[in-house]
Amino acid sequence: MYVNLNGKLVEEKRAAIPITDHGFLYGDAIYETMRTVEGKLWMFDEHIKRLKASAKIVGMKVPYSKKEIREMIEQLLVKNKLKEARVRITLSRGSNKLDFGPAKNPTFLIQPAKIKLPPKELYENGISVITYEIERAIPQIKSASMLPTIMAYQHALKKKAHEALLVDHRGRVTEGSMSNVFFVRKGKVITPKKNILEGTVRNLVIKMAKAKQTTIKKRDLQKLDECFITSTIKGILPVTKINGKNVGNGEVGPITKILMKKL
Ligand code: PDD
């Protein structure tokens, strides 16, 4: 597999970054994950917009234009003979003399991979999730400092669940470790409002379902009728168990099914 490192095509095995890179040392990096659908980049503009917004918040500059980035990705898809791909872009601040001050030579990496979608049965039967108390720092950005979400996801795997729903220090459900979360309550679609990444698929679903952004407490989860998570890779994936207990009647809910068809 070829990647694009700082504007150059390199074989993945040979791609190297300095050990002083802030992304490696401090998680001082941002990223985006996008995908292709039938060989075409899906929601490319939205991902670049979010990459630029994340860069602005953390004081970095995306070193290539939107057009250049699109060309680099398309070149990689051809070079690697990939049709259905996930594509990760990582931007790290660069290197300096082991301190937190300004850094030089940002690292810009585009990594494509064959897409691995969740198996069909999970869309038919739903997944189980667990809740995990942890918060992401600056949740509105796609930060590469992922310790909290990695801890949450590994905890989910230990409990034989497919995803972890993050819960903040005030008992509010925020999002998944790598997804956003939605619920259905009395026929209405709701989703957490605060301390989340505004996911590209979340934004689509909010429009499609006229979803209300609101506060959802962990203690109220048993009262909800349906649940699903969203992300670029998963699309809409139904959740039928939370912390070992059925959501509604334990089957994929009717509103979730309608939204899955519409997406
Ligand atoms: N993750 N919240 C978090 C913490 C995420 O990491 C993601 C996506 C989302 C959903 O965003 P979107 O709909 O734009 O994919 C929400 C990606 C897939 C990843 O980590 O690779």
Side-chain angles (χ1 to χ4, degrees):
M1 189 73 68
Y2 281 84
V3 302
N4 189 308
L5 180 61
N6 299 318
K8 290 194 183 83
L9 277 188
V10 197
E11 246 188 275
E12 198 167 40
K13 276 186 255 155
R14 294 182 196 281
I17 58 164
I19 58 168
T20 46
D21 187 272
H22 269 210
F24 169 66
L25 289 177
Y26 313 127
D28 184 6
I30 55 170
Y31 80 105
E32 274 301 320
T33 299
M34 57 183 92
R35 65 166 291 184
T36 59
V37 174
E38 285 159 19
K40 297 244 160 1
L41 283 169
W42 189 51
M43 289 202 279
F44 175 75
D45 287 2
E46 285 82 353
H47 285 285
I48 297 300
K49 197 170 156 203
R50 190 169 64 191
L51 181 71
K52 288 194 172 161
S54 295
K56 192 167 176 205
I57 292 172
V58 301
M60 291 184 202
K61 200 172 165 285
V62 180
Y64 299 98
S65 69
K66 190 162 98 177
K67 187 166 167 273
E68 285 168 328
I69 296 174
R70 185 188 271 281
E71 282 167 7
M72 290 194 266
I73 297 175
E74 284 169 354
Q75 184 192 35
L76 279 173
L77 297 178
V78 174
K79 182 87 186 161
N80 290 306
K81 298 190 177 64
L82 282 170
K83 190 165 180 245
E84 294 311 317
R86 70 181 279 166
V87 180
R88 179 176 154 134
I89 299 179
T90 308
L91 170 64
S92 128
R93 196 178 304 272
S95 299
N96 64 5
K97 293 203 180 88
L98 294 180
D99 73 26
F100 291 174
K104 279 191 194 143
N105 305 322
T107 298
F108 187 81
L109 175 67
I110 308 178
Q111 269 172 300
K114 196 161 179 265
I115 201 159
K116 206 172 140 228
L117 300 172
K120 218 170 111 216
E121 305 89 77
L122 297 186
Y123 289 94
E124 285 164 4
N125 305 327
I127 60 164
S128 65
V129 302
I130 49 102
T131 54
Y132 191 78
E133 270 167 52
I134 207 151
E135 296 179 25
R136 293 200 302 122
I138 341 175
Q140 70 271 33
I141 68 166
K142 220 158 158 50
S143 154
S145 325
M146 294 174 82
L147 275 181
T149 45
I150 287 175
M151 285 166 65
Y153 184 65
Q154 295 204 355
H155 183 73
L157 293 183
K158 247 187 234 152
K159 297 277 174 190
K160 307 245 180 305
H162 295 88
E163 171 63 307
L165 299 184
L166 313 185
V167 175
D168 73 10
H169 67 285
R170 290 166 74 177
R172 296 176 297 200
V173 177
T174 55
E175 61 189 338
S177 75
M178 51 187 125
S179 56
N180 290 113
V181 63
F182 286 78
F183 301 95
V184 178
R185 187 175 59 190
K186 296 187 184 129
K188 299 255 178 306
V189 181
I190 56 172
T191 189
K193 182 179 181 174
K194 285 198 182 137
N195 296 332
I196 50 140
L197 180 79
E198 290 194 9
T200 52
V201 183
R202 176 182 182 270
N203 289 342
L204 276 185
V205 172
I206 287 176
K207 275 199 203 123
M208 256 166 48
K210 299 193 177 61
K212 189 175 165 209
Q213 300 178 54
T214 184
T215 300
I216 299 155
K217 294 269 180 143
K218 180 185 162 191
R219 62 163 189 259
D220 294 329
L221 288 178
Q222 298 310 322
K223 299 178 199 156
L224 300 165
D225 307 317
E226 297 180 34
C227 176
F228 59 89
I229 57 169
T230 63
S231 82
T232 297
I233 305 301
K234 298 182 178 81
I236 296 177
L237 186 57
V239 174
T240 44
K241 264 194 174 34
I242 303 179
N243 292 335
K245 295 203 177 101
N246 280 349
V247 180
N249 63 5
E251 286 173 15
V252 178
I255 295 181
T256 305
K257 280 187 185 161
I258 294 171
L259 294 170
M260 285 165 74
K261 271 201 196 118
K262 269 195 181 177
L263 188 75

